[in-house]
């Protein structure tokens, strides 16, 4: 008969026990296989006690691992709370900075308007200065600065002399 197959019941053994025995033969022996031993098998009390000890040891190992995982979860929870507080602080700082940037942008816009207004006023001032010069009288041939502080009396004296020479 090929290995791994059962064709029926063997005398004195139930089918469930045959399948279990066959599964044990196909697998390597490990502590996990011992956990699969059904409670109704014919084992001595020493073997059952040893199996129970192994089970208790495995439970103890799993318990220690769970305690370690619990400690890690507590640490992660604390870290998460700390990060939440930091994030809340950053959000507060960001909204404060956002208000400041909004204020600066508004001021920059008003400065741009003031710059435009200043350029317009400079243009008008230049235009007014140019218009006031158009009404000035320019006398050619008379050096600048010779009139002194009293311009009207200088012109009264000078104009008749210039008129006599040109006639």
């Amino acid at each position: 008969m090929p290995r791994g197959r059962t064709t029926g019941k063997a005398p004195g053994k139930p089918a469930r026990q045959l399948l279990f025995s066959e599964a044990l033969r196909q697998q390597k022996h490990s502590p996990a296989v011992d956990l699969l031993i059904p409670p109704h098998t014919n084992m001595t009390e020493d073997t059952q006690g040893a199996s129970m000890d192994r089970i208790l040891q495995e439970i103890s190992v799993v318990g220690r691992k769970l305690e370690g995982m619990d400690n890690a979860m507590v640490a992660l929870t604390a870290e998460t709370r700390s990060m939440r507080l930091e994030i809340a602080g950053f959000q507060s700082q960001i909204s404060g900075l956002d208000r400041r940037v909004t204020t600066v942008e508004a001021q920059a816009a008003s400065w741009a308007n003031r710059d435009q207004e200043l350029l317009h006023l400079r243009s008008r001032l230049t235009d007014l200065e140019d218009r006031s010069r158009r009404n000035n009288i320019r006398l050619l041939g008379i050096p600048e600065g010779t009139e002194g502080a009293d311009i009207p009396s200088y012109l009264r004296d000078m104009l008749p002399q210039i008129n006599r020479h040109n006639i």
Side-chain angles (χ1 to χ4, degrees), residues 92-111:
S92 174
Q93 287 178 352
I94 287 172
S95 69
L97 291 173
D98 186 41
R99 284 190 298 271
R100 289 176 62 191
V101 165
T102 303
T103 303
V104 167
E105 287 174 342
Q107 287 176 350
S110 81
W111 289 338

Side-chain angles (χ1 to χ4, degrees), residues 7 19 36 43 63 78 97 99 104-105 138 143 149 157 162 166:
T7 56
L19 289 172
L36 299 175
M43 298 177 81
L97 291 173
R99 284 190 298 271
V104 167
E105 287 174 342
R138 296 184 72 189
D157 294 339
I162 295 174
N166 288 337

Side-chain angles (χ1 to χ4, degrees), residues 21-54:
S21 298
E22 186 67 27
L24 282 177
R25 271 189 247 124
Q26 290 178 358
Q27 296 180 2
K28 292 183 178 178
H29 184 69
S30 70
V33 173
D34 289 340
L35 297 175
L36 299 175
I37 298 173
H40 66 276
T41 58
N42 294 330
M43 298 177 81
T44 63
E45 285 188 28
D46 290 339
T47 309
Q48 285 179 349
S51 294
M52 291 301 268
D53 287 342
R54 269 194 239 127

